[in-house]
Amino acid sequence: MKTVIKGGTVVTSTEQMSADVLIDGEKVVALAAPGSHDWEAGSDKVIDASGKLVIPGGIDVHTHMELPFGGTNASDSFETGSRAAAWGGTTTIVDFAVQVKGESAMDGFEAWMQKADGNCAIDYGFHMITGDINEQTLKEMDMLVDEGVTSFKMFMAYPGVFYSTDGEIVLAMQKAAENGSTIMMHAENGIAIDVLVQQALARGETDPIYHGITRPSILEGEATHRAIRLAELTGAPLYIVHLSAAEALAEVTMARDEGMNVFAETCPQYLFLALADLGNGFEGAKYVCSPPLRPRDDGHQEFLWQGLATNDLQIVSTDHCPFCFNDHPILGTQKKLGEGDFSKIPNGMPGVEPRMELIYQGAVGEGRLNVNRWVEICSTTPAKMFGLYPQKGTIAIGSDADIVVFDPGTPRTISADSHHMNVDYSAYEGREVPGSVDTVLSRGRVIIENDAYHGAPGDGQYLRRGTSQYLI
Ligand code: URP
Ligand code: ZN
Ligand code: ZN
């Protein structure tokens, strides 16, 4: 099957050029000046991209499909969540397999492989959440790297759930330094937070807003500092996930200035939403995630945008972890598990679908970053950071034809009425974004076109990832 995308502006992290793109089977095989080659005659499909941007498919390296968490399961399955990702111009996800206390990490990996197998609309890989560090897990980290799971998420938050002690973190970091993998860190001081949470509940402060108030940014900054110094001690590459706070970014910036392999992502919720969204009574439960949304007046958001401009932040992922607000016929009670006690609200927000359009708005639409940087933070660097480049993350000869035709001139209004995620609200309800996803190809197959989905569950393949290609 040969496909030509003609007349568009091809944008990669480094180039912006008028070019036709020739796809043969699953791969990009040629790029040429518009109309300079008569590719249309011998092709099976022609996509007219005139006036549109032709970009590498988005890569979201932080999703939690079907995650068992907070007494329920994230409401998007691999089938519904990966399809919603495709609708939003994301053609690869890296999700988190889970090892819980007392269980083997390899068993956790196999379980998540089974959940995803035959269900994904787009290609997918896994990180591993290591919830129990012991002799066996440390050996399994080597086995997982051989399976293409080259990054391990640890938690300084959630005592009693996924929490690791500093000693366990040191052990895992020593192993990562040895086998070339990356430690991903949820950097919040969960022990201190739990004290503040118990004090707030004892005062009768039970509304969702107190979720944000009891997780102050200083405790994200402190944990980020500690994670960085443990990485310095052990020599492990460190990637701070879902960074939300100026204090944490300052620590990352300092470490990077010291020449360390320290990296960080932020997420759209921290760039667009704020602590005040947690107000409005229990409605605020829709915005409960950890780290929490930060007070708008404290300047975190512009600091994060600046970090994206200076590459102190390298990636925007979503931390997609949706829970329904109203009771769901199959999933039951989700956000409302925390009525009367904010600490019982399942932590997480939906976001896999609108990421590319939202970041286009905040970056290009509002003049903060150029179009190359938009592609870089949403696709190219994620591929390099997690060992997928140049198969993914660019439009080049030999790369997978994961391509999005993006229309910068057709706005869209984000709404739960029109989104495809399996969740009953949008955190961005009513927001108008200036550009929108038009056509999506996954390994050469058109899966979104003319406002219709043309793919099928199982189209997506498991990606055996290499180690990070972003290290100094
Ligand atoms: O609130 C969040 N972030 N939920 C998902 C789990 C995690 O910590 O990433
Ligand atoms: Zn986390
Ligand atoms: Zn997460």
Side-chain angles (χ1 to χ4, degrees), residues 253-435:
T253 303
M254 198 190 311
R256 292 177 59 72
D257 289 349
E258 290 169 16
M260 290 181 66
N261 275 313
V262 170
F263 313 100
E265 65 178 19
T266 190
C267 310
Q269 54 270 34
Y270 304 120
L271 294 165
F272 292 97
L273 306 174
L275 179 66
D277 290 304
L278 286 157
N280 193 19
F282 194 72
E283 279 288 306
K286 294 175 178 173
Y287 300 90
V288 165
C289 61
S290 295
L293 307 179
R294 300 301 181 189
R296 203 176 289 280
D297 290 346
D298 290 358
H300 297 280
Q301 284 185 351
E302 280 315 313
F303 207 59
L304 296 181
W305 280 113
Q306 189 191 325
L308 287 168
T310 57
N311 205 39
D312 288 309
L313 285 171
Q314 297 79 40
I315 289 176
V316 178
S317 67
T318 61
D319 194 11
H320 177 74
C321 191
F323 298 101
C324 291
F325 184 72
N326 293 305
D327 291 356
H328 184 277
I330 296 162
L331 295 159
T333 305
Q334 299 214 299
K335 287 289 185 186
K336 288 187 178 168
L337 285 167
E339 268 180 325
D341 179 350
F342 70 85
S343 71
K344 295 197 166 59
I345 300 168
N347 283 204
M349 284 177 54
V352 77
E353 189 170 351
R355 178 185 66 131
M356 297 296 286
E357 294 174 350
L358 281 169
I359 302 306
Y360 181 83
Q361 176 181 42
V364 184
E366 293 172 7
R368 293 186 180 93
L369 307 174
N370 69 24
V371 81
N372 304 98
R373 184 67 181 150
W374 170 56
V375 167
E376 190 168 36
I377 61 182
C378 292
S379 176
T380 312
T381 302
K384 290 180 179 172
M385 189 73 73
F386 292 106
L388 292 169
Y389 188 82
Q391 180 188 354
K392 307 289 188 189
T394 191
I395 299 178
I397 293 166
S399 294
D400 283 356
D402 288 1
I403 295 180
V404 172
V405 179
F406 187 88
D407 186 346
T410 298
R412 182 198 305 283
T413 302
I414 298 175
S415 173
D417 292 341
S418 53
H419 76 200
H420 304 85
M421 300 177 289
N422 185 37
V423 63
D424 59 359
Y425 72 96
S426 168
Y428 306 94
E429 187 66 40
R431 172 182 281 268
E432 184 168 301
V433 287

Side-chain angles (χ1 to χ4, degrees), residues 153 155 186 242:
K153 182 176 178 190
F155 290 78
H186 181 133
H242 46 47

Side-chain angles (χ1 to χ4, degrees), residues 94-140:
V94 187
D95 202 270
F96 288 83
V98 178
Q99 177 226 11
V100 290
K101 274 249 174 296
E103 283 179 15
S104 114
M106 282 307 286
D107 287 354
F109 169 62
E110 294 300 342
W112 257 258
M113 284 290 274
Q114 269 179 29
K115 288 179 202 239
D117 186 36
N119 289 317
C120 287
I122 54 172
D123 290 352
Y124 60 95
F126 286 113
H127 316 283
M128 188 82 215
I129 288 177
T130 46
D132 193 0
I133 293 294
N134 52 50
E135 257 180 55
Q136 187 202 345
T137 322
L138 292 170
K139 285 193 195 117
E140 286 177 319

Side-chain angles (χ1 to χ4, degrees), residues 24 34 72 107 129 173 199 207 237 239 284 410 429 433 438:
D24 192 355
T72 181
D107 287 354
I129 288 177
M173 283 185 168
Q199 289 172 342
D207 276 357
Y239 179 91
T410 298
E429 187 66 40
V433 287
D438 177 293

